[in-house]
Amino acid sequence: LPGKIWRVRYSYLMSPEFKKAMESLFGNVNAAAITNAPDHLKETLEKDIAAAEKYETMSEKERAEQGGDSKQDMFIAKINIDGDDNALLIYNPVRLHPQMIDWINTLGEVKFIVSGSSSHTNFLPDAAKQFPSAKIICASAADLKCQGVGMRPADFLYDVVRDEVPKRYSGRGTYQDALEALQGQARLFHIRGDVCTQALFVLVHKHLFEVDLLYVNSDEKLRETEFESGTSIQH
């Protein structure tokens, strides 16, 4: 969206070992999986099996090349906070080279850094360091993990609600506090029931940001509750 939203794509090499570890984490695709899968997924699973079988016959060089690259997108949105039209929200920060930081600073002042996943957090601590006055919005798991490598505590935990604040998070900003701080400029949708990632969708300027939705296998559709007020999306 010209002048309002920018996408920054970060590409990086993924080693074959890491690729194989990911396959182990998410399970192997086999004939039984195809039999039990919904009809609309069977063709995709068959292709996955064929690709996996081909991988096993490759040379070491070919396997290294098959590690390939992976990509992540960072989104930057210009919003209005306290009358400042040049306030910025960063969603899913990626690696920030010096030139990238300089460019972001030409767009405006970073007011919010939002992590949309508890898994893709490698670059969240550095973003918090580069923009020390920005408010951090993330899930409790991401907050705990990133504090372990020196990040300051997040300002808002989107998976914590006012009526259910655990003692360990007493005094920390909640989901509702984050919405108020955003002053209606962005809406947050925490996907309750999402496995591993505690995914957060962010709606800005009629554009929906998503980074890492890892939902359970099901044909059921996501059911959205109280969309107009901005709340959780439940299975």
Side-chain angles (χ1 to χ4, degrees):
L1 183 62
K4 292 290 184 181
I5 295 176
W6 296 263
R7 183 184 73 177
V8 177
R9 175 156 289 179
Y10 176 63
S11 298
Y12 56 95
L13 291 176
M14 182 169 61
S15 70
E17 290 77 13
F18 179 74
K19 184 176 181 181
K20 199 158 190 176
M22 293 296 288
E23 290 170 353
S24 298
L25 174 64
F26 296 116
N28 294 321
V29 178
N30 52 36
I34 293 178
T35 301
N36 298 324
D39 290 340
H40 66 280
L41 292 178
K42 288 182 178 179
E43 182 180 350
T44 299
L45 294 177
E46 289 171 352
K47 290 180 180 178
D48 287 346
I49 288 179
E53 291 175 346
K54 181 179 179 182
Y55 180 84
E56 292 301 323
T57 64
M58 289 180 178
S59 66
E60 184 175 343
K61 179 181 179 181
E62 289 173 327
R63 288 191 179 192
E65 292 171 347
Q66 278 295 305
D69 68 342
S70 187
K71 299 178 177 66
Q72 281 194 46
D73 286 342
M74 172 176 72
F75 292 94
I76 303 171
K78 185 169 287 191
I79 57 179
N80 186 311
I81 299 294
D82 296 328
D84 180 6
D85 286 329
N86 291 315
L88 301 177
L89 178 151
I90 292 179
Y91 179 81
N92 187 46
V94 295
R95 185 175 181 183
L96 299 174
H97 297 286
Q99 297 92 331
M100 178 64 64
I101 296 170
D102 291 342
W103 173 72
I104 291 173
N105 286 329
T106 66
L107 301 177
E109 181 182 356
V110 178
K111 298 283 190 178
F112 295 95
I113 301 170
V114 183
S115 173
S117 165
S118 288
S119 293
H120 292 297
T121 57
N122 286 353
F123 305 109
L124 180 59
D126 184 57
K129 180 180 179 181
Q130 297 298 336
F131 303 106
S133 63
K135 301 295 184 184
I136 303 171
I137 303 175
C138 68
S140 55
D143 174 65
L144 181 64
K145 182 168 61 172
C146 291
Q147 282 196 62
V149 292
M151 188 182 83
R152 68 180 188 272
D155 300 276
F156 306 100
L157 304 175
Y158 62 71
D159 59 327
V160 176
V161 295
R162 282 178 181 166
D163 296 336
E164 305 171 9
V165 180
K167 283 187 177 181
R168 63 184 179 277
Y169 299 131
S170 178
R172 306 285 290 280
T174 64
Y175 170 82
Q176 291 89 346
D177 296 324
L179 287 176
E180 291 176 3
L182 288 166
Q183 300 177 16
Q185 294 293 298
R187 294 157 69 183
L188 311 178
F189 299 94
H190 172 217
I191 312 302
R192 290 183 179 272
D194 178 48
V195 296
C196 294
T197 67
Q198 297 177 308
L200 180 76
F201 288 6
V202 176
L203 185 65
V204 187
H205 302 311
K206 298 183 179 181
H207 286 65
L208 189 66
F209 300 162
E210 179 269 328
V211 58
D212 193 27
L213 177 64
L214 183 61
Y215 215 77
V216 293
N217 293 326
S218 176
D219 283 331
E220 297 178 35
K221 294 181 179 180
L222 292 176
R223 175 173 57 82
E224 188 176 326
T225 61
E226 301 179 18
F227 180 83
E228 290 304 320
S229 61
T231 185
S232 299
I233 298 177
Q234 299 184 355
H235 190 91

